[in-house]
Amino acid sequence: MDPSLPVIAEELLQEIQKSFRETSQISDELLLALRFVFGTSVVPALDLVDRQSVTRFVSPSGRTVYQVVGSSGKLYTCYASCHFCSCPAFAFSVLRKGDNLVCKHILAIYLSRATGACQEQSISNQHLTALLLPEEK
């Protein structure tokens, strides 16, 4: 996953990945641990994973960016490497208040990677630039 997450969160996500590979499910025990570590973001994040809302875009330069279709249908650009999401909840709950480690969109990225539910798409460097720097409307 990502070494800049707290160790307990990193180990939990690795355990989920291992368990999912072996059983194709996340046990109740691991779900409870997820809830303990990540709080109220867990259920909405799992819903996003179930809906296959996470897409990883990879460019020839090796750069990656994620986009997550939120529960409202809005598209959020996320950077898993630095735990950043463009959603308002991230700005408020994670950055401003410090109530959560990550928002539901970032957590959905980690869970979709752990469960193999993350869609992947190769794109050109120019397309990646357009994703990172969208034109103002």
Side-chain angles (χ1 to χ4, degrees), residues 96-113:
R96 186 165 182 215
K97 289 180 70 182
D99 289 346
N100 295 309
L101 291 173
V102 293
C103 67
K104 67 181 179 182
H105 307 108
I106 296 288
L107 183 54
I109 290 169
Y110 295 136
L111 292 171
S112 69
R113 289 182 353 195

Side-chain angles (χ1 to χ4, degrees), residues 116-132:
C118 186
Q119 300 178 65
E120 189 159 319
Q121 188 173 8
S122 296
I123 58 172
S124 68
N125 289 324
Q126 293 79 12
H127 190 185
L128 181 69
T129 300
L131 286 177
L132 298 175

Side-chain angles (χ1 to χ4, degrees), residues 6 21 23 30 36 49 51 61 73 81 88 95 109 116:
R21 264 193 239 133
T23 65
L30 289 174
F36 181 78
V49 172
R51 290 198 237 169
S61 64
S81 61
L95 296 179
I109 290 169

